[in-house]
Amino acid sequence: PALEDYRYVGSNPDNYVYFGCSENCTEDNLYRVIGVIPTQSTMDGEYENRVKLIKASSWEGASVEAGSTYTKSKKGYRWNTSASNAWESSSLKDYLNGEYYNLLGEYQNYISPTKWYLGAPTYSGYTNYTTDEFYTLERSSVKGKSGGSSSCIENIGLLYPSDYGYSIDGGMNGEVWKEQVLYNNKGSYSYNAWLYQLEGKYYEWTMTPEAIYSDSYGVNAWNLTPGGYINNATVSDTEHIFGVRPTFYLKSDIQYQSGNGSIENPYRIFL
């Protein structure tokens, strides 16, 4: 049978989860459910339906850089501290799977190693891609400008461009927006997508590299902009210090404990 994703859509669905705490949970422990998505834990492994979580606010660890004009706190991350858009050798990948992951302690046991897709859409198409086209290109064999792999196994990643697109509520049109150009509809769609709500519409990195473009500033990766669309930015430019929200998949045997998913009463889970 065909694989099928199930995703939360709309401006503010009840998809909040506490993660990394059992008691005395704080705002920093708030995560949100992107959806239930068929996922592999090895390159050629069996698909399992797993819950995909994203941190509800930006993560700023000891490795965070100051001086940003693109985040609320004036701090954030470059995609890479070197001029390469190969995700598997990027500094941001290392921070997420090193520093951030190590902070989780026993809650590392809740997270499944996952196959992350590194297919690269091209900059020349950013005003023409539909969400479905982003999804297909992310899972393609087209590599980023710097080469590297088309997929990798890691515990922690970031959202994909398609994750943002699929979080948009199609309203009376149902799912027709999946086949409409995301850029052309940014004005009406951005306020109907909960993944757009990061800290007052600041810039945010995705983990997806760009395939062909480079200039005097270097190679690019895709990001979510305050204008509500997906665009490119130079990975190593110190001008491009953006927000990041760690993203990961839960193991398939994680169980529901309590809560209704609202921000006042987030889901609680246990292993």
Side-chain angles (χ1 to χ4, degrees):
L3 302 175
E4 188 168 3
D5 297 0
Y6 298 89
R7 295 175 181 264
Y8 278 95
V9 303
S11 61
N12 192 27
D14 288 337
N15 61 344
Y16 288 91
V17 181
Y18 275 139
F19 186 82
C21 61
S22 57
E23 298 179 354
N24 302 318
C25 296
T26 68
E27 184 178 348
D28 193 51
N29 298 115
L30 276 176
Y31 289 71
R32 302 189 78 170
V33 180
I34 290 177
V36 178
I37 299 171
T39 307
Q40 298 163 284
S41 58
T42 60
M43 285 297 181
D44 298 312
E46 295 292 326
Y47 283 93
E48 288 187 310
N49 287 328
R50 298 200 186 110
V51 173
K52 187 177 186 180
L53 294 188
I54 185 168
K55 199 172 187 302
S57 58
S58 288
W59 172 65
E60 296 178 357
S63 53
V64 74
E65 297 184 60
S68 176
T69 59
Y70 296 110
T71 66
K72 184 177 182 179
S73 69
K74 309 303 181 186
K75 298 178 180 179
Y77 290 89
R78 286 176 283 168
W79 203 87
N80 201 356
T81 54
S82 64
S84 169
N85 70 349
W87 172 259
E88 69 272 23
S89 61
S90 69
S91 57
L92 188 48
K93 187 274 293 182
D94 289 342
Y95 296 147
L96 291 168
N97 288 278
E99 181 186 348
Y100 168 78
Y101 184 68
N102 292 336
L103 292 171
L104 296 177
E106 64 181 292
Y107 286 89
Q108 293 175 359
N109 296 321
Y110 285 59
I111 295 173
S112 173
T114 299
K115 180 178 180 179
W116 296 90
Y117 299 99
L118 303 175
T122 63
Y123 174 76
S124 59
Y126 87 99
T127 60
N128 298 311
Y129 289 136
T130 67
T131 300
D132 282 347
E133 286 172 333
F134 269 117
Y135 183 91
T136 299
L137 288 164
E138 291 157 9
R139 286 154 178 76
S140 73
S141 60
V142 178
K143 297 179 180 180
K145 175 72 172 178
S146 302
S149 302
S150 57
S151 61
C152 65
I153 302 294
E154 295 290 350
N155 292 301
I156 311 296
L158 296 174
L159 80 163
Y160 297 122
S162 64
D163 286 331
Y164 164 61
Y166 287 132
S167 74
I168 299 166
D169 185 357
M172 294 182 65
N173 292 324
E175 296 185 346
V176 68
W177 51 267
K178 293 182 181 180
E179 299 176 359
Q180 293 180 351
V181 175
L182 190 59
Y183 181 87
N184 289 353
N185 294 282
K186 59 186 180 295
S188 59
Y189 287 170
S190 59
Y191 296 100
N192 295 310
W194 63 270
L195 271 171
Y196 178 58
Q197 305 303 312
L198 178 63
E199 298 171 351
K201 319 300 187 300
Y202 286 84
Y203 284 83
E204 176 179 7
W205 284 118
T206 78
M207 66 181 295
T208 300
E210 193 280 332
I212 62 173
Y213 182 77
S214 64
D215 56 21
S216 58
Y217 296 99
V219 292
N220 283 231
W222 294 85
N223 61 279
L224 177 56
T225 76
Y229 60 96
I230 301 294
N231 202 350
N232 278 250
T234 312
V235 297
S236 58
D237 191 343
T238 54
E239 292 293 315
H240 295 152
I241 299 175
F242 297 162
V244 299
R245 284 188 283 181
T247 303
F248 52 85
Y249 292 82
L250 297 176
K251 291 180 177 177
S252 56
D253 57 352
I254 299 299
Q255 299 183 60
Y256 165 81
Q257 182 175 9
S258 63
N260 62 11
S262 66
I263 192 169
E264 297 82 11
N265 187 20
Y267 294 123
R268 290 178 181 265
I269 56 178
F270 70 97
L271 179 61

